[in-house]
Amino acid sequence: MSENEFTVSRGLGGYPANIDVMRDEEFSRLNGIVYLDHAGTTHYAKSQLDLFYRDLSSHVYGNPHSHHLSSQRCTEAVERVRNRILQHFNTDCSTYSVIFTSGCTDSLRLLGQNFQWSCGKTHDDSDLAFALGDINMLNDKSIFCYFHDCHTSVVGMRELAMRYGARISCFEESDVCVTTDGYSREQSLPAGSQTTCHHLFAYPAMCNFSGRKYPLQWINDVHSGRLRINGQQLGHNWHVLLDAAAFVGTSSLDLSVYSADFVSLSFYKMFGYPTGLGALLVRTDCQSLLEKSYFGGGTVQAMISGENFRVFRSGLSDKFEDGTLPFLGIIALQHGFDTLHRLTGSMAAISYHTLRLAKHAYDEMMSLHHGNGQPMCQVYCSTDYTDDSIQGAVISFNILQPDGTYVGYSQVDKLAGVFDIHLRTGCFCNVGACQRYLRLSAEQLKHNLEVGHVCGDAVDLVDGVPTGCVRVSFGYMSTFEESNYFVQFIKHCFAQPRMILEMPPVPQHLSKADGISDNHSIEKVDTSHDLTGDDVVSGDECPQDGSESEASVETGRETRLMTGNVRSVCLEKIFVYPVKSCGAFEVTEWEIGSKGLVYDREWMVVSDSGSCISQKQAPMMCLIFPEVNLAAGKLILYMSDISPLEVDLAVNTEELDAKSATMCRARVCRDRVEGLDCGDDAADWFSTVLERPCRLVRQSPTAERLCRSTKEKLSLANQSQFLLVTEPSLSCLAAHTALQKEGCVTEYTDAVLTQRFRPNFLVAGKFEAFAEENWQVVKLGLCQFQVSGLCTRCQVISIDQRTGTRSNDLLRSLISLRGSKVHVCLIAVYGMHM
């Protein structure tokens, strides 16, 4: 579809033709990026916040649990929002109650904890039933029957259901059959029936993984007894939970036609703000199914502290909304609904518009092929994106190589970041759909866990099989230009042979005032002072008996490369990075310990929330230069215009107990690590340099951190003990980058690139560029290293280590030279094998 054809089609769906004006006026902050994660959260409009601010500026809202005038005004505003929510879904307070929660997940937890399960029976582990698609219609227990492709938060309800003694059943779409014979919901139970058990049928209105919309008619079919699972009728006392969180962001839900008993919502999915606010909608005739136990402030009419006596409030919302509501956030919802309707006209228009964008991207992706005719994209869907009643504006996919193997989603994510494309990777908290579409067996999922992959990490391939995929999703303010730019990105980065040499210009409405700039400069700092390794001394010689005692490596010595064919290489440079993400300390020889080079990534800087700070968040860290003065026993850190910081190298293990008060925990690459706080002086120094509260933390000598893949001991390095780069590869990249930069050879010399890639070892020799990608063993002097794999480069190589200036031209050049192989130039090595 051309842009002109898409523009003409806007009017057919009733969507505003002036979306470009809307973008400029309401979403100018999105200029310069391509935001394609609306299924994660959509974005709020400027006028939405303006209206909310004006509301707060002109009214006083008090705690609704009080009784003064501002409290009464607040209570009235909250009740208006309840009615506005129900109006949006074409129902009213006579049919549904609105229970505000902290989000969709909290709504599901509330329902799972309070639903009337199992006829009053208690939990018994030996009697729990769990089956795929098996509905045992015995009347002695409740059944929680949930769809296989449900969000994790829905699946998690089974733990609560089992605790209260319910049977569990997981069904797939192929298990569902709808017949013509049924009954009226109001019809009385068959004669002789003694059941008092209530059952819950749960499914999503739309799969957040694939965008597939499931029949809302199932709600009425369950209520009328026409729906069967594997041939078994869901009889009386079956109730429907509809997870509508992903659906309502771009689709219309009419509860007067499809009256689910329970509906879970998250409002940031609809209009971006406020976050941390959701709701559970409960049909009036199902209120008695919720049996509350815990009570918080405002939910009881009376209670006695010294006696087991309490009386709940009568209204469902009053009964289940424990504590003070987030009343200002709730008031903000009114402006969200009003703005959404004013800008778009209707949810039907949003659904039409967003699916057209997804359809364009889908068609283009399906047409992409490598030079050998093999498809480039594997899209996980069951529709052709033509019918918005069965498909939402979500595309999940993986990129394929010419030989049919997969490009890991982490690589796609990193490359997308280079082009300012914001997307989602992984399984999106929907393991069921991920497992089904990627055809992963339960055994494979367990194996992935055993080898170190956990939900949310960057392990994208295990044994060549993807553990997840890439997802793009569109919102009501998304444009054709964004959809098209995304497709061009795939062509540019992953087609082999190269389909285009350069990305097309960023669309005008996506540009900043002067177009997207690759350079985000910060104040340059003088780096002229010389930090040599004059005081560094060698460690002991490498032992010959294969023991784990310490060894050393030395530059200038010609060594051998063990790759099947023996080739000579020379270790040119050795770099130690004492503080993670700070500058390098170059040495000519250095000691090797059990975790890598001694003192390498031994310290890190952490935020006040305990997260490790890197150059991604603070590019100026590269301008902090370390010196390891072994003779003085000090780590000395230099930064221009500020006195150096000295930190002791030695840690007295006998004093660790006394230092327990200064022990802290932080995260490094999703690992929880234990460290020793280096004190207030170090914290003040780094807080001044980085202009944010932070502290210097040293890895605890008593805490062990292991590499997930090799099980070798690790310092605070990301994934391996050592990183190695080769001179031929750097020279090739430097030459290619110079051509891309129109002859600016001095900007990307081998020395500059070495700083960018931050290796421990730089080796040279008579071998071809990128030959290291096939190495298995490297021998440097008497030390032999096992190659654990290629190192995927993050966007830190976009930071000039001399100035702290950020630019994307190096990564783009790397893509132009190597396609999707962003791991080029570095290999991760570990261990010593003598």
Side-chain angles (χ1 to χ4, degrees):
M1 182 192 303
S2 69
E3 183 176 359
N4 183 60
E5 291 172 329
F6 185 87
T7 302
V8 171
S9 71
R10 285 177 180 167
L12 299 178
Y15 206 79
N18 60 342
I19 187 172
D20 294 333
V21 175
M22 179 209 297
R23 285 288 296 237
D24 291 339
E25 294 179 351
E26 299 283 358
F27 301 98
S28 60
R29 67 184 180 279
L30 297 180
N31 289 346
I33 67 173
V34 177
Y35 185 85
L36 297 176
D37 188 26
H38 293 272
T41 181
T42 194
H43 275 268
Y44 45 84
K46 179 180 180 296
S47 62
Q48 175 186 345
L49 297 189
D50 290 343
L51 290 170
F52 181 45
Y53 176 74
R54 198 175 307 154
D55 189 346
L56 296 186
S57 300
S58 56
H59 297 96
V60 177
Y61 293 109
N63 189 316
H65 286 174
S66 301
H67 298 287
H68 46 70
L69 291 179
S70 59
S71 170
Q72 295 175 28
R73 180 183 296 112
C74 183
T75 299
E76 292 170 0
V78 169
E79 293 309 308
R80 281 198 302 270
V81 173
R82 292 189 203 274
N83 291 331
R84 184 67 179 86
I85 293 170
L86 296 177
Q87 177 188 352
H88 182 80
F89 298 115
N90 199 26
T91 187
D92 56 41
C93 59
S94 66
T95 308
Y96 280 92
S97 293
V98 177
I99 302 175
F100 286 115
T101 64
S102 64
C104 181
T105 295
D106 192 43
S107 299
L108 298 168
R109 178 199 55 77
L110 185 151
L111 178 59
Q113 287 181 338
N114 297 285
F115 186 77
Q116 191 181 113
W117 299 109
S118 60
C119 311
K121 295 184 180 296
T122 58
H123 167 64
D124 181 356
D125 281 333
S126 63
D127 196 32
L128 294 180
F130 185 93
L132 181 64
D134 179 31
I135 301 293
N136 187 335
M137 293 308 296
L138 298 176
N139 292 328
D140 62 334
K141 289 194 174 186
S142 295
I143 301 170
F144 177 50
C145 181
Y146 64 90
F147 191 50
H148 184 270
D149 292 4
C150 275
H151 191 280
T152 297
S153 298
V154 177
V155 179
M157 291 177 63
R158 75 185 183 199
E159 307 300 315
L160 295 169
M162 287 191 295
R163 175 178 298 178
Y164 295 117
R167 288 187 171 88
I168 306 301
S169 175
C170 176
F171 72 95
E172 297 184 1
E173 188 173 11
S174 59
D175 299 324
V176 177
C177 175
V178 178
T179 63
T180 57
D181 57 319
Y183 53 82
S184 168
R185 189 176 191 185
E186 289 73 24
Q187 183 178 336
S188 60
L189 292 174
S193 174
Q194 300 297 318
T195 182
T196 58
C197 291
H198 292 274
H199 316 289
L200 195 58
F201 178 90
Y203 78 102
M206 186 179 85
C207 175
N208 72 311
F209 182 96
S210 65
R212 171 77 161 87
K213 295 180 181 179
Y214 295 102
L216 296 176
Q217 182 58 35
W218 282 358
I219 298 168
N220 298 334
D221 292 334
V222 170
H223 288 163
S224 63
R226 293 192 297 267
L227 189 140
R228 287 168 165 75
I229 301 294
N230 282 335
Q232 297 194 57
Q233 183 183 33
L234 303 190
H236 287 78
N237 288 344
W238 274 90
H239 311 278
V240 179
L241 161 62
L242 184 70
D243 176 13
F247 180 84
V248 297
T250 57
S251 304
S252 175
L253 176 61
D254 189 340
L255 291 179
S256 70
V257 178
Y258 306 109
S259 301
D261 301 288
F262 307 97
V263 182
S264 57
L265 304 170
S266 239
F267 293 109
Y268 70 90
K269 304 274 188 181
M270 300 178 66
F271 27 75
Y273 180 86
T275 59
L277 186 60
L280 178 67
L281 309 187
V282 182
R283 272 178 56 117
T284 303
D285 56 1
C286 293
Q287 293 185 10
S288 60
L289 299 178
L290 300 182
E291 300 177 326
K292 191 177 185 190
S293 52
Y294 171 82
F295 58 90
T299 61
V300 293
Q301 298 183 66
M303 56 84 66
I304 299 175
S305 297
E307 182 179 329
N308 186 17
F309 175 83
R310 56 99 181 100
V311 178
F312 285 115
R313 292 189 179 275
S314 56
L316 192 71
S317 300
D318 294 334
K319 181 178 179 181
F320 280 93
E321 291 173 347
D322 294 295
T324 301
L325 288 171
F327 51 89
L328 294 182
I330 292 172
I331 292 170
L333 295 180
Q334 180 71 48
H335 305 293
F337 282 111
D338 292 345
T339 301
L340 188 68
H341 185 269
R342 173 171 48 81
L343 294 179
T344 66
S346 69
M347 294 304 299
I350 295 175
S351 181
Y352 179 85
H353 170 73
T354 54
L355 187 64
R356 296 284 284 177
L357 296 173
K359 171 67 172 172
H360 167 71
Y362 169 78
D363 288 344
E364 291 293 314
M365 292 169 66
M366 295 301 290
S367 70
L368 297 179
H369 291 79
H370 292 289
N372 63 357
Q374 291 298 312
M376 289 178 56
C377 301
Q378 181 172 342
V379 179
Y380 303 109
C381 63
S382 55
T383 77
D384 61 359
Y385 288 80
T386 58
D387 185 350
D388 66 356
S389 69
I390 61 173
Q391 180 64 53
V394 175
I395 305 175
S396 290
F397 67 97
N398 271 313
I399 301 292
L400 300 173
Q401 303 274 21
D403 61 0
T405 57
Y406 292 92
V407 176
Y409 59 74
S410 292
Q411 291 194 40
V412 180
D413 191 22
K414 288 181 173 64
L415 291 174
V418 174
F419 295 96
D420 292 312
I421 298 174
H422 298 209
L423 42 73
R424 180 83 176 264
T425 59
C427 278
F428 328 124
C429 295
N430 195 326
V431 178
C434 185
Q435 178 185 4
R436 182 167 70 87
Y437 280 105
L438 273 61
R439 299 181 180 179
L440 300 173
S441 65
E443 289 71 24
Q444 283 177 292
L445 295 179
K446 294 174 184 177
H447 172 68
N448 291 348
L449 178 63
E450 291 173 355
V451 300
H453 168 58
V454 297
C455 291
D457 68 11
V459 180
D460 47 22
L461 297 174
V462 174
D463 302 326
V465 178
T467 61
C469 64
V470 184
R471 184 186 74 184
V472 295
S473 50
F474 300 89
Y476 74 85
M477 75 294 295
S478 297
T479 65
F480 175 85
E481 291 82 1
E482 289 178 311
S483 178
N484 192 58
Y485 189 81
F486 166 69
V487 174
Q488 296 304 312
F489 155 73
I490 296 177
K491 292 179 182 178
H492 176 71
C493 292
F494 301 103
Q496 298 183 32
R498 308 283 293 162
M499 296 178 68
I500 52 177
L501 294 178
E502 295 293 338
M503 278 289 286
V506 179
Q508 183 64 36
H509 84 273
L510 301 180
S511 302
K512 296 176 183 176
D514 298 319
I516 291 182
S517 172
D518 286 334
N519 298 305
H520 310 281
S521 62
I522 59 177
E523 182 179 356
K524 295 187 178 181
V525 180
D526 179 23
T527 62
S528 59
H529 57 273
D530 183 23
L531 300 179
T532 65
D534 294 339
D535 296 321
V536 179
V537 298
S538 170
D540 295 333
E541 284 297 316
C542 183
Q544 304 295 316
D545 59 359
S547 67
E548 293 188 2
S549 58
E550 295 169 343
S552 66
V553 288
E554 182 179 349
T555 60
R557 181 186 301 175
E558 188 173 271
T559 60
R560 295 199 306 168
L561 166 68
M562 313 291 290
T563 62
N565 297 322
V566 177
R567 306 173 190 173
S568 295
V569 300
C570 183
L571 178 57
E572 294 285 334
K573 294 180 182 295
I574 302 172
F575 300 97
V576 182
Y577 305 86
V579 182
K580 184 178 177 67
S581 233
C582 287
F585 179 54
E586 184 176 350
V587 297
T588 56
E589 55 184 332
W590 202 253
E591 188 177 335
I592 294 178
S594 61
K595 298 180 293 184
L597 294 176
V598 172
Y599 301 125
D600 186 59
R601 277 90 171 185
E602 181 84 5
W603 290 264
M604 64 178 171
V605 182
V606 300
S607 67
D608 50 6
S609 63
S611 299
C612 177
I613 300 175
S614 72
Q615 289 186 30
K616 294 178 184 178
Q617 299 86 30
M620 290 184 67
M621 292 182 73
C622 68
L623 304 179
I624 300 173
F625 294 96
E627 176 189 356
V628 179
N629 192 320
L630 297 174
K634 297 289 185 180
L635 167 65
I636 307 173
L637 298 169
Y638 299 89
M639 181 73 174
S640 65
D641 300 327
I642 189 171
S643 299
L645 172 69
E646 294 188 2
V647 179
D648 290 335
L649 292 178
V651 175
N652 188 341
T653 55
E654 295 179 357
E655 297 179 359
L656 286 180
D657 290 340
K659 287 188 175 184
S660 61
T662 61
M663 294 289 286
C664 63
R665 289 178 173 82
R667 283 192 179 274
V668 175
C669 289
R670 300 184 183 275
D671 291 338
R672 280 284 187 182
V673 296
E674 194 172 81
L676 295 172
D677 190 286
C678 294
D680 291 339
D681 289 344
D684 292 342
W685 193 88
F686 272 97
S687 297
T688 299
V689 169
L690 301 183
E691 299 179 347
R692 59 184 295 179
C694 55
R695 304 191 71 83
L696 182 65
V697 172
R698 183 177 191 169
Q699 186 177 22
S700 172
T702 60
E704 189 175 79
R705 178 175 176 242
L706 300 179
C707 175
R708 292 178 182 173
S709 57
T710 66
K711 305 306 178 184
E712 295 286 326
K713 292 181 181 179
L714 278 183
S715 63
L716 300 176
N718 285 357
Q719 57 186 352
S720 61
Q721 294 179 341
F722 312 92
L723 289 175
L724 178 148
V725 66
T726 71
E727 205 167 66
S729 296
L730 291 180
S731 297
C732 178
L733 179 58
H736 181 76
T737 305
L739 292 175
Q740 297 289 306
K741 295 289 287 183
E742 299 180 357
C744 297
V745 181
T746 57
E747 185 173 0
Y748 287 105
T749 63
D750 288 7
V752 170
L753 289 180
T754 301
Q755 293 175 348
R756 291 285 190 104
F757 284 103
R758 299 172 60 81
N760 294 113
F761 304 134
L762 171 66
V763 301
K766 295 182 179 180
F767 49 85
E768 294 181 355
F770 314 116
E772 66 271 19
E773 293 182 357
N774 297 315
W775 295 354
Q776 297 176 0
V777 177
V778 176
K779 188 175 182 182
L780 302 176
L782 298 177
C783 300
Q784 184 169 300
F785 302 87
Q786 181 71 39
V787 178
S788 63
L790 302 174
C791 181
T792 302
R793 296 319 302 156
C794 64
Q795 292 191 43
V796 169
I797 70 169
S798 297
I799 300 172
D800 189 332
Q801 299 297 298
R802 303 165 299 175
T803 64
T805 304
R806 190 193 304 271
S807 66
N808 284 333
D809 49 0
L810 180 58
L811 260 176
R812 294 192 182 201
S813 177
L814 192 55
I815 295 166
S816 175
L817 176 65
R818 302 291 290 162
S820 62
K821 294 184 178 180
V822 292
H823 49 238
V824 48
C825 290
L826 278 163
I827 58 174
V829 295
Y830 71 92
M832 289 192 307
H833 306 284
M834 309 303 173

